[in-house]
Amino acid sequence: MHHALTAAAAGFGTGMSLIVAIGAQNAFVLRQGVRRHAVLAVVGICSLSDAVLIALGVGGVGAVVVAWPGVLRAVGIVGGLFLLCYGVMAARRVLGPGTGLRGDGEAAGSRRRAVLTCLAMTWLNPHVYLDTVFLLGSLAAGHGALRWSFGLGAALASLCWFSALGFGARLLGRFLARPTAWRVLDGLVAVTMLTLGTTLLIGA
């Protein structure tokens, strides 16, 4: 039991160190959180997707996918284009008339759109596969019979982080009620998306 908890703690720490890095998922979850729109659905999708991908990595799927490098290349191209489009949309909001944050979420668009965007942010980002399936999968293999405990810890880290980011972001609501502050957030989102999109296309 002690060894299982140690492996789970190692997985939690490793998973947290990978997830906390600023990326497309985090920027999107933060934006949905401060707008209080479809937060539960977005947090659930991100956490569940990570859990599935981590399980695939721990199960050894990463070694199989390596045999088809073209798959990741195709995902990189599609994901790069998607992130560039989303980045342009965020940049347009920065340059448009400022309205500040609407805490009721009415201006955030439909729940279906938020869900589809979140799915695209997750499953069209090759970095997610590299972090979960390949990196965490290989690290889990080093724990032998306790690899699933390591994977469980990593999945728990994902759940804790996205929950804190999504539901904790509403604390910024009063600050982001000012149009200038909202422009700054959208500016950060635009820079993040455009940078990641360009990086994916260059790497592909």
Side-chain angles (χ1 to χ4, degrees):
M1 182 65 178
H2 173 71
H3 295 295
L5 290 176
T6 301
F12 185 92
T14 304
M16 190 65 74
S17 66
L18 293 174
I19 297 169
V20 170
I22 297 177
Q25 268 188 325
N26 287 341
F28 181 73
V29 174
L30 176 63
R31 193 171 196 281
Q32 292 301 116
V34 296
R35 303 189 86 168
R36 302 184 184 184
H37 180 257
V39 180
L40 180 61
V42 168
V43 169
I45 289 173
C46 292
S47 302
L48 183 58
S49 296
D50 273 4
V52 170
L53 291 170
I54 290 171
L56 292 176
V58 174
V61 174
V64 178
V65 178
V66 171
W68 291 281
V71 174
L72 276 181
R73 183 172 184 271
V75 172
I77 294 174
V78 176
L81 292 174
F82 173 81
L83 292 179
L84 285 179
C85 290
Y86 194 89
V88 170
M89 291 171 58
R92 289 180 62 184
R93 289 195 297 267
V94 175
L95 300 175
T99 57
L101 172 67
R102 290 185 57 183
D104 57 6
E106 291 296 330
S110 69
R111 181 178 299 272
R112 179 183 178 185
R113 179 179 178 182
V115 167
L116 292 177
T117 301
C118 186
L119 287 171
M121 290 284 182
T122 302
W123 293 93
L124 292 181
N125 185 359
H127 291 169
V128 174
Y129 295 93
L130 293 175
D131 288 344
T132 56
V133 178
F134 297 104
L135 183 54
L136 286 176
S138 62
L139 292 175
H143 290 268
L146 296 175
R147 64 185 184 279
W148 288 106
S149 295
F150 180 91
L152 180 61
L156 182 60
S158 174
L159 175 61
C160 291
W161 170 251
F162 286 121
S163 296
L165 187 63
F167 294 105
R170 65 184 58 190
L171 298 177
L172 299 174
R174 180 175 299 179
F175 172 73
L176 290 171
R178 293 176 291 181
T180 301
W182 191 245
R183 279 200 175 96
V184 171
L185 176 61
D186 269 332
L188 293 175
V189 171
V191 171
T192 300
M193 300 301 178
L194 292 174
T195 300
L196 289 175
T198 302
T199 301
L200 288 179
L201 290 178
I202 293 177

